[in-house]
């Protein structure tokens, strides 16, 4: 009986050793130039993060000889999170104090994936806090929080050509370390879709308000450039931009149950910008800030719409050996 238990334990140990070996091989897979990019020695990384996100919407144009302008923005969402990353695979937990108190009712989901050659950013936002001023000629109208419902989906995928020497993860996940300055051309695709709808709350308090539903979907293809500056072996500065030209769009505009014809876009682009500052205090400790933005410009020769979705993050991390 004792011999059987010892044999079973030996098999379990061998199996765990194989699994660990496979993960290690994948984690330290040398698909990059180690003179420029290296893996950190620590396999486990713990990070504390503060995140803030927001969305701004601006529109202007002349319809029926009346100039109109709208400047709207959602409430800023602030969250605190703790994340654990083991060999490049991470799990995190975030809390939103304002949501606990009932102050912030919007919902947002973000997913980011950064590998040596391919990266992906996805975000979904459902907001009832969009508010601001709307000017129509000499009249000023205030759009209050809760009057409309905004839903926005942003998706950007991009390929890094010089991934052997330039690392997105070094700037945004710290699963790599950039040793020398390098840049790369980028190729990518963007999608932005969503809707703006009049809320039931607005219709209840103002029955004469127009019942509006606007739905959009845009797909863009383009290319850009990114660069990592390494200063004094301790600082890493990153900036990248990926502009995409919209090659397909589908728009639907319904007012008071009647569908309106959408005008053809004269100019339609989606921009994806990234920036980061990382400070490596030692081989174990690091800190930094990152900024990710999705900007879109739609011009149908009558109305120009500009939307800016952004997420800022400050973090402190520690690698465990």
């Amino acid at each position: 009986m004792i011999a059987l238990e010892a044999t079973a334990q030996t098999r379990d140990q061998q199996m765990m050793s194989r699994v660990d070996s496979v993960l290690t091989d994948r984690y330290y897979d040398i698909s990059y130039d180690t003179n420029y990019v290296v893996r950190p020695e620590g396999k486990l990384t713990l990070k504390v993060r503060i995140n803030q996100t927001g969305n701004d919407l601006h529109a202007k144009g002349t319809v029926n000889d009346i100039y109109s302008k709208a400047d709207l923005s959602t409430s800023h969402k602030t969250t605190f999170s703790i994340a654990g990353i083991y060999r490049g695979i991470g799990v995190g937990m975030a809390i939103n104090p304002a949501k606990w108190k009932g102050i912030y009712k919007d919902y947002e989901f973000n997913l980011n994936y950064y590998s040596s050659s391919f990266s992906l950013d996805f975000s979904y936002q459902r907001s009832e806090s969009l508010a601001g001023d709307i000017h129509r000629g000499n009249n000023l109208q205030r759009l209050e929080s809760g009057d409309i419902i905004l839903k926005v989906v942003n998706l950007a995928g991009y390929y890094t050509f010089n991934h052997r020497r330039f690392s997105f993860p070094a700037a945004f996940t710290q699963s790599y370390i950039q040793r020398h300055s390098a840049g790369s051309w980028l190729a990518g695709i963007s999608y932005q879709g969503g809707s703006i709808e009049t809320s039931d709350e607005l219709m209840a308090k103002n029955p004469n308000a127009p019942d509006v539903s606007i739905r959009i979907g845009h797909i863009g293809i383009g290319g850009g450039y990114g660069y990592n500056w390494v200063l004094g072996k301790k600082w890493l500065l990153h900036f990248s931009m990926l502009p995409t030209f919209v090659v397909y769009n589908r728009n639907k505009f319904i007012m008071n149950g009647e569908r309106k014809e959408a005008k053809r876009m004269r100019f339609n682009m989606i921009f994806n910008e990234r920036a980061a500052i990382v400070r490596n205090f030692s081989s174990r400790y690091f800190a930094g800030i990152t900024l990710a933005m999705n900007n879109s410009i739609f011009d149908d020769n009558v109305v120009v719409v500009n939307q800016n979705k952004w997420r800022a993050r400050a973090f402190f991390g520690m690698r465990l050996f």
Side-chain angles (χ1 to χ4, degrees):
M1 188 70 177
I2 296 177
L4 290 174
E5 291 180 356
T7 301
Q9 292 177 358
T10 301
R11 290 175 179 173
D12 291 341
Q13 291 173 355
Q14 291 175 348
M15 184 176 295
M16 291 301 296
S17 178
R18 292 193 190 100
V19 173
D20 189 71
S21 177
V22 170
L23 290 175
T24 299
D25 291 341
R26 290 181 178 178
Y27 181 74
Y28 289 110
D29 181 27
I30 306 301
S31 60
Y32 45 86
D33 187 342
T34 55
N35 291 320
Y36 284 81
V37 180
V38 296
R39 280 285 196 181
E41 296 180 6
K43 301 176 183 177
L44 176 63
T45 301
L46 300 179
K47 299 172 71 173
V48 179
R49 304 181 298 201
I50 302 176
N51 313 281
Q52 188 170 75
T53 62
N55 199 341
D56 303 320
L57 183 66
H58 307 278
K60 61 181 179 179
T62 301
V63 180
N64 297 328
D65 296 328
I66 299 177
Y67 177 78
S68 299
K69 179 183 178 182
D71 297 299
L72 311 174
S73 62
T74 63
S75 297
H76 294 168
K77 183 186 75 171
T78 303
T79 61
F80 301 87
S81 64
I82 299 176
I85 303 171
Y86 183 69
R87 291 172 173 166
I89 301 175
V91 177
M93 180 181 67
I95 59 173
N96 186 344
K99 199 171 185 67
W100 282 2
K101 297 178 181 179
I103 300 174
Y104 187 90
K105 298 181 180 180
D106 294 355
Y107 172 81
E108 185 171 340
F109 174 78
N110 291 279
L111 175 65
N112 309 106
Y113 171 77
Y114 298 103
S115 71
S116 58
S117 57
F118 179 76
S119 299
L120 180 71
D121 291 319
F122 172 83
S123 68
Y124 170 76
Q125 181 184 26
R126 183 188 186 279
S127 173
E128 298 183 23
S129 65
L130 191 67
D133 295 329
I134 301 176
H135 298 265
R136 290 192 180 95
N138 296 323
N139 298 322
L140 173 62
Q141 178 183 355
R142 176 69 183 179
L143 183 70
E144 301 293 344
S145 176
D147 286 348
I148 63 175
I149 300 174
L150 171 69
K151 299 177 183 178
V152 179
V153 174
N154 285 289
L155 176 65
Y158 32 99
Y159 179 80
T160 304
F161 288 98
N162 189 24
H163 57 268
R164 289 179 57 82
R165 295 186 175 184
F166 169 81
S167 175
F168 262 110
F172 293 96
T173 64
Q174 292 72 55
S175 56
Y176 287 84
I177 297 176
Q178 187 84 36
R179 300 179 66 180
H180 297 287
S181 300
S184 176
W185 291 103
L186 310 171
I189 183 171
S190 298
Y191 171 79
Q192 186 176 81
S195 64
I196 298 177
E197 298 178 338
T198 305
S199 68
D200 294 337
E201 181 179 340
L202 175 62
M203 299 303 296
K205 69 180 181 181
N206 186 4
N208 295 323
D211 186 6
V212 177
S213 176
I214 302 174
R215 299 179 184 274
I216 64 170
H218 304 272
I219 298 176
I221 298 176
Y225 193 78
Y227 199 86
N228 283 344
W229 287 272
V230 178
L231 305 176
K233 297 183 179 181
K234 296 292 185 180
W235 290 93
L236 171 63
L237 307 181
H238 167 91
F239 180 78
S240 60
M241 175 179 285
L242 178 67
T244 60
F245 292 89
V246 173
V247 295
Y248 172 82
N249 66 75
R250 184 178 182 181
N251 307 307
K252 184 169 68 173
F253 178 45
I254 300 175
M255 178 178 289
N256 298 326
E258 180 182 356
R259 182 165 180 170
K260 304 291 185 179
E261 181 180 356
K263 294 183 178 294
R264 184 177 181 85
M265 292 292 179
R266 183 183 67 174
F267 183 77
N268 200 344
M269 288 191 69
I270 302 173
F271 297 86
N272 302 281
E273 301 101 352
R274 304 288 180 269
I277 302 175
V278 181
R279 163 71 173 177
N280 290 294
F281 298 101
S282 66
S283 59
R284 293 191 62 185
Y285 301 101
F286 59 89
I289 55 175
T290 62
L291 177 64
M293 296 186 294
N294 301 97
N295 303 324
S296 59
I297 300 177
F298 307 141
D299 183 357
D300 66 359
N301 206 26
V302 176
V303 178
V304 179
V305 180
N306 174 230
Q307 180 184 266
N308 306 302
K309 175 72 171 60
W310 56 270
R311 186 192 73 243
R313 170 177 291 169
F315 59 87
F316 173 80
M318 177 178 63
R319 299 185 180 98
L320 303 179
F321 297 97

